[in-house]
Amino acid sequence: MKKIILTTLLQLCFYAGWSQTLSNTVKGKILDAQSGSALPGANIILLGSEPLVGTQSDPEGIFRLPLVPLGRQTLKITSMGYGEQIIPNVLVTAGKEVNLEIRLVEQVINAEEVTVKANRNQDVLNNEFGTLSARTFDVENTRRFAGSRNDPSRMAANFAGVVGNNDARNDIVIRGNSPTGLLWRLEGIDIPNPSHYGALGATGGPVTILNNNVLSQSDFFTGAFPATYGNALSGVFDLQLKTGNRDKREYTGQVGFNGFELGAEGPFRKGKKATYLAHYRYSVMGLVQKLGISMGTGNSVPNYQDLSFKIDIPTKKAGSRWSMYGVGGTSDISFKGDLKDTANLYSDPYNNLVNKAKMGVAGLSYLHYFNEKTSLKTSLAVSGSFFETQIDSLNDERQPFNRYRDKSSLGRITFSSIYNKKLNAKNLFSGGVYFHRLSYDLLDSTYSNKIYRRLRDENGGTELFQAYGQWQYKPLNELTINGGLHFTYFNLNKKNAVEPRLGIRYDLPSRQAISFAAGMNSQIQPIQLYFYKTRNADGSFTQTNMDLGLTKSYQFVGGYERYFGDNIKFKTEVYYQHLYNVPVEKFPSTISVLNLGATFSAPDLDSLVNDGKGKNYGLEITLERNFNKGYYFLTTVSLYESKYQGSDKIWRNTAFNGRYVANVLGGKEWKFNEKHSVAVDVKVALAGGRPYVPVDLQKSIETGWEINDRDRSYENRFKSYFRTDLKLTYRQNGKRMAQEWFLDIQNVSNTKNIFSKNFDVRTGKIKTMYQTGLYPNFNYRIEF
């Protein structure tokens, strides 16, 4: 009764103080960070309000704070027995209600303690077993940073340990690893490459399929990840989708680099709890090309479209719910070889190229709470990807002839069941199983050495089984120990791996912390690699890669962090990663699969054995100020080495060993009144040049096609990558809608960063291609 009276008084003060100002509603749900169950009776206070404004969460953990003034606000959340949480920089606009999901950490109370220590850490992960090398992000991060193009992958390139020095693709290179070492996960389910024009087996591409307007708070790991995750060597992008507004229908319209877009969300029936959320997007690049702005595709016009949705249906039991979700997209582009088309990064003047791709995932999950400490989430999902490439070479008369064909697809049916049990504030257990039924339809062929032959011609399926268990033990509020075990079994060739994981974090006085994590990780090879055919002397073919084992690695990470006040955080990490069981060629060579993963073609290596090695080690530093009082900054510096050893037993740079990367970002916002505000965001990036395999010019001239000097693989590197981006934003709030315009001027200085060096068969010289120059990206957004 006292809680109800307190809530009523707070709301009355709120209505009396701000009823005449432009405002909107901030609402959400308060959860226990360990069990995920609802927290009733939590106090939510709007800091800076006078008189004091606040409310409490209801029995389902839901709170609603109406009439919050427009602009950036800060919330303080407290609950008996839990650490205090401060949520800064909550952007309130007139167009849409703000919907938050806030997780509080239960404090360990020993007998001699009489008070609960406040936990003001603002970076609480969705995955409560994460120890270090991790951070959360939300839709605001993907919109704010200059140069990110509303793309989660390009946004992540600003974080320590991540390299984004390729304007043409959004591959995530983490700590010198191949981008294929990354695991994409959506709503707890492993998904294929979420990129338009994304090749099978790759994890990136030119344009993302992921729509930042439908993303909720998500986790990003750059190493030492918990036992929940498997079949990955470098990192994890664990994405969550928003839940539609349960109180009213809202709409979004947008046009920008990623396309024309329309979104809608709300309850299926007014007054009911079941909600929907859907966003559709269609390519706008054709219009951009007509305006004379180079996209790096020359005279060719990219066409793509994608759809994202989520349906949420709560059950009568508090906290339990059904969810249906899906993400998918299609894309196509045609390049015509043109001697005058010098702006084409993806093809060359002597070839015609056609590329078509499709990707999709749809899932159904049921989350059931047996009580406030025990839950079971069961999911069933179907996903697939399709990739088609046609390359025709042009002779002197510009007549095409067949050079390469690829028409392949991969499918997956996934069943998962995850059990979560919080025994008490000190102990948490989680365990689960993943069963994947993999299907493949692979057909590709090429013309080389005056022979036209098929590389792969396979149709069938196999299974991948994963299981894990992990335990969190907190003997003290200051000490957290995460231990776990992950198991992987690949039925195609009966290979398996057992992977132990351990993470320890200790909080020191003055808001400091030290952390350590170690673990083993493994990953199966790209499915196409197993079926590559080797031509024998008698003209027959043999699949020489079928017995390949999993690539494996050990990771060791140590970290230190400290908060200065409530908004500034310093963090540093050192790491060492040893990779082994890496596929390399059987005979002595410089080839290794650690250098694959950043192209549009399937791997075409044969006669591979698991005799290769690799090592990555480095130092990362982050200094960050959360957006507060109108400004923010983020500075990251990464110093690293990435080496590999092929079957020739010589240590070399990997293709991703840039050795250093530094990012400096900052932004300032000016709020003129409740209706109008402007912001300026700047990003400066400097990264070491990518190593490359040089062209053997003499042999290329003699043969008439490009021949690489493999003995000098990755000895040389392109010059350092440098880019400055500037973003100008104007926001306008009306009575019931919000509008936003921004101009993101990328590569302001028009720096010529090298994309590639290739042999020009017509001139007999090395041709240098450059990345995207000065590029203005305009975006308009409306919410109502």
Side-chain angles (χ1 to χ4, degrees):
M1 186 66 182
K2 291 181 179 179
K3 292 181 179 179
I4 297 176
I5 294 174
L6 174 61
T7 302
T8 303
L9 290 174
L10 289 173
Q11 297 284 8
L12 288 174
C13 292
F14 180 80
Y15 292 135
W18 280 330
S19 60
Q20 302 302 316
T21 61
L22 287 177
S23 62
N24 209 334
T25 297
V26 175
K27 60 185 183 180
K29 193 169 187 178
I30 311 297
L31 303 174
D32 182 300
Q34 293 175 300
S35 68
S37 61
L39 278 183
N43 298 309
I44 300 93
I45 303 297
L46 184 64
L47 295 184
S49 58
E50 189 168 337
L52 182 66
V53 176
T55 187
Q56 288 187 329
S57 57
D58 67 13
E60 296 184 19
I62 295 172
F63 72 91
R64 181 179 176 84
L65 202 59
L67 299 178
V68 176
L70 303 186
R72 298 187 182 273
Q73 307 295 343
T74 299
L75 300 178
K76 175 181 176 181
I77 299 92
T78 59
S79 183
M80 183 67 68
Y82 286 80
E84 173 186 288
Q85 187 72 257
I86 301 293
I87 309 296
N89 189 38
V90 178
L91 180 59
V92 183
T93 66
K96 278 192 173 185
E97 296 181 339
V98 179
N99 196 357
L100 304 173
E101 185 174 278
I102 302 169
R103 297 171 179 266
L104 300 184
V105 179
E106 187 175 6
Q107 302 295 284
V108 177
I109 304 177
N110 296 317
E112 66 275 12
E113 292 183 296
V114 295
T115 60
V116 176
K117 297 181 180 180
N119 174 14
R120 297 169 65 88
N121 181 9
Q122 302 159 3
D123 202 20
V124 178
L125 297 170
N126 290 333
N127 191 315
E128 61 279 0
F129 292 92
T131 305
L132 75 172
S133 295
R135 65 173 296 152
T136 60
F137 71 94
D138 56 25
V139 63
E140 183 68 14
N141 294 119
T142 61
R143 290 178 187 162
R144 180 188 304 141
F145 296 154
S148 295
R149 301 182 184 176
N150 293 335
D151 183 341
S153 296
R154 287 187 165 91
M155 177 273 302
N158 299 300
F159 299 152
V162 185
V163 180
N165 59 357
N166 189 339
D167 299 343
R169 295 175 61 92
N170 61 8
D171 297 289
I172 299 177
V173 176
I174 299 174
R175 294 176 172 174
N177 284 280
S178 163
T180 58
L182 178 74
L183 171 66
W184 283 103
R185 181 168 282 189
L186 179 71
E187 292 286 305
I189 296 294
D190 298 358
I191 65 172
N193 180 8
S195 297
H196 290 296
Y197 311 101
L200 302 186
T203 57
V207 183
T208 183
I209 291 176
L210 299 171
N211 191 315
N212 68 335
N213 287 306
V214 302
L215 295 180
S216 181
Q217 180 173 303
S218 302
D219 293 343
F220 178 61
F221 293 86
T222 56
F225 33 87
T228 316
Y229 310 109
N231 197 30
L233 293 173
S234 65
V236 178
F237 232 130
D238 192 351
L239 302 169
Q240 301 294 321
L241 298 177
K242 291 196 310 181
T243 300
N245 193 327
R246 61 187 288 177
D247 297 317
K248 71 173 187 175
R249 294 185 174 91
E250 297 176 326
Y251 304 93
T252 300
Q254 184 167 302
V255 58
F257 170 86
N258 290 335
F260 293 102
E261 182 176 337
L262 181 63
E265 63 176 288
F268 282 99
R269 293 178 59 189
K270 193 171 183 179
K272 301 296 182 180
K273 297 181 179 180
T275 64
Y276 66 89
L277 170 70
H279 276 252
Y280 172 76
R281 186 169 52 190
Y282 187 82
S283 169
V284 74
M285 288 190 179
L287 175 60
V288 173
Q289 297 281 53
K290 291 180 180 179
L291 294 176
I293 300 173
S294 173
M295 303 294 299
T297 58
N299 296 324
S300 302
V301 178
N303 298 303
Y304 56 84
Q305 56 186 319
D306 49 65
L307 174 69
S308 304
F309 73 90
K310 182 177 181 180
I311 296 173
D312 188 72
I313 306 175
T315 65
K316 292 182 179 179
K317 181 175 177 58
S320 298
R321 62 205 322 108
W322 289 93
S323 294
M324 295 178 61
Y325 55 90
V327 173
T330 66
S331 56
D332 65 85
I333 191 170
S334 297
F335 297 103
K336 298 296 182 182
D338 188 344
L339 294 173
K340 298 180 181 179
D341 190 4
T342 60
N344 190 339
L345 300 180
Y346 301 95
S347 187
D348 63 66
Y350 314 116
N351 290 284
N352 292 337
L353 184 148
V354 176
N355 177 290
K356 298 179 181 179
K358 298 178 183 178
M359 173 271 174
V361 56
L364 174 67
S365 66
Y366 176 60
L367 175 62
H368 178 74
Y369 278 91
F370 298 95
N371 52 53
E372 69 277 5
K373 295 185 176 181
T374 308
S375 66
L376 180 69
K377 183 179 180 180
T378 303
S379 301
L380 180 65
V382 179
S383 62
S385 53
F386 167 85
F387 191 75
E388 180 178 359
T389 299
Q390 300 178 20
I391 301 178
D392 293 326
S393 293
L394 302 174
N395 59 23
D396 292 336
E397 288 73 36
R398 312 299 293 170
Q399 295 175 332
F401 65 92
N402 191 333
R403 178 183 169 189
Y404 179 77
R405 294 290 186 272
D406 184 4
K407 190 174 183 179
S408 302
S409 62
L410 300 176
R412 178 183 303 208
I413 300 175
T414 298
F415 171 83
S416 71
S417 186
I418 308 300
Y419 177 79
N420 201 64
K421 175 69 174 181
K422 180 178 179 179
L423 302 176
N424 48 48
K426 294 184 178 183
N427 293 277
L428 172 67
F429 171 78
S430 178
V433 295
Y434 287 86
F435 177 81
H436 310 273
R437 171 61 182 176
L438 309 178
S439 60
Y440 47 84
D441 187 359
L442 310 174
L443 179 60
D444 61 342
S445 53
T446 187
Y447 182 86
S448 62
N449 298 325
K450 299 181 180 181
I451 297 176
Y452 192 79
R453 68 183 185 91
R454 287 189 173 179
L455 305 176
R456 279 163 284 248
D457 187 0
E458 297 291 334
N459 185 297
T462 188
E463 294 78 33
L464 176 66
F465 175 79
Q466 297 171 276
Y468 79 90
Q470 53 190 15
W471 194 285
Q472 182 180 95
Y473 177 55
K474 292 181 64 175
L476 306 167
N477 280 323
E478 297 82 6
L479 178 63
T480 303
I481 303 172
N482 293 308
L485 200 66
H486 189 99
F487 173 73
T488 300
Y489 177 79
F490 188 40
N491 196 40
L492 180 69
N493 54 13
K494 316 301 181 186
K495 304 296 183 181
N496 65 80
V498 178
E499 307 163 24
R501 315 275 176 84
L502 174 67
I504 301 173
R505 176 187 172 94
Y506 187 75
D507 291 319
L508 301 168
S510 302
R511 302 189 65 192
Q512 303 175 83
I514 55 175
S515 304
F516 171 79
M520 177 179 172
N521 304 91
S522 64
Q523 186 177 37
I524 66 173
Q525 311 306 327
I527 199 74
Q528 307 98 303
L529 200 61
Y530 294 99
F531 297 104
Y532 189 84
K533 294 182 178 180
T534 303
R535 184 181 177 86
N536 301 316
D538 60 0
S540 62
F541 295 92
T542 306
Q543 292 177 340
T544 55
N545 296 338
M546 185 55 70
D547 197 45
L548 284 175
L550 284 70
T551 299
K552 301 179 180 181
S553 79
Y554 291 105
Q555 294 190 30
F556 304 91
V557 187
Y560 168 79
E561 65 182 63
R562 178 171 183 173
Y563 279 90
F564 298 92
D566 292 334
N567 298 302
I568 298 178
K569 179 181 180 181
F570 171 82
K571 182 179 181 181
T572 184
E573 292 187 1
V574 294
Y575 64 89
Y576 179 84
Q577 181 184 21
H578 171 70
L579 298 109
Y580 65 103
N581 222 43
V582 178
V584 295
E585 290 187 315
K586 189 174 184 179
F587 53 87
S589 78
T590 65
I591 300 297
S592 171
V593 298
L594 295 182
N595 297 314
L596 303 180
T599 65
F600 293 93
S601 58
D604 57 355
L605 305 175
D606 64 354
S607 304
L608 299 178
V609 292
N610 293 101
D611 290 341
K613 297 180 182 179
K615 57 184 177 181
N616 302 313
Y617 54 92
L619 167 69
E620 299 166 0
I621 299 173
T622 299
L623 182 63
E624 180 176 11
R625 186 188 194 276
N626 293 318
F627 198 109
N628 184 258
K629 295 183 179 179
Y631 73 98
Y632 74 94
F633 61 76
L634 171 64
T635 300
T636 61
V637 177
S638 304
L639 306 174
Y640 64 99
E641 285 286 347
S642 178
K643 303 286 188 176
Y644 82 98
Q645 189 181 82
S647 52
D648 63 356
K649 306 303 180 181
I650 298 175
W651 285 100
R652 291 182 168 84
N653 296 317
T654 68
F656 310 102
N657 187 20
R659 293 185 175 172
Y660 64 89
V661 58
N663 297 293
V664 178
L665 299 90
K668 172 66 177 175
E669 182 178 273
W670 292 269
K671 181 180 176 182
F672 299 112
N673 51 46
E674 293 172 325
K675 292 185 177 181
H676 305 282
S677 66
V678 296
V680 176
D681 298 272
V682 179
K683 172 187 174 181
V684 179
L686 174 66
R690 298 198 312 271
Y692 65 96
V693 181
V695 173
D696 189 322
L697 184 58
Q698 187 60 41
K699 288 185 179 180
S700 298
I701 293 174
E702 293 173 358
T703 59
W705 62 82
E706 181 173 297
I707 302 241
N708 296 111
D709 187 353
R710 290 290 176 185
D711 292 335
R712 298 175 56 212
S713 292
Y714 309 112
E715 288 181 3
N716 300 327
R717 60 183 67 240
F718 299 143
K719 68 177 184 179
S720 297
Y721 175 95
F722 178 79
R723 200 176 94 172
T724 301
D725 302 324
L726 174 65
K727 183 178 178 183
L728 308 173
T729 304
Y730 168 64
R731 293 191 184 95
Q732 181 186 53
N733 287 299
K735 189 174 181 179
R736 293 185 178 86
M737 73 174 183
Q739 300 180 80
E740 178 182 280
W741 294 261
F742 76 68
L743 178 62
D744 194 358
I745 308 173
Q746 301 177 21
N747 196 1
V748 173
S749 60
N750 199 30
T751 303
K752 287 190 173 183
N753 295 305
I754 297 177
F755 179 75
S756 65
K757 289 179 177 287
N758 303 103
F759 177 66
D760 190 323
V761 298
R762 297 303 191 268
T763 64
K765 298 179 180 180
I766 304 297
K767 180 180 179 180
T768 301
M769 295 292 294
Y770 293 96
Q771 303 203 50
T772 306
L774 175 67
Y775 168 52
N777 174 23
F778 175 77
N779 193 98
Y780 170 72
R781 174 185 177 86
I782 183 171
E783 295 178 335
F784 57 97

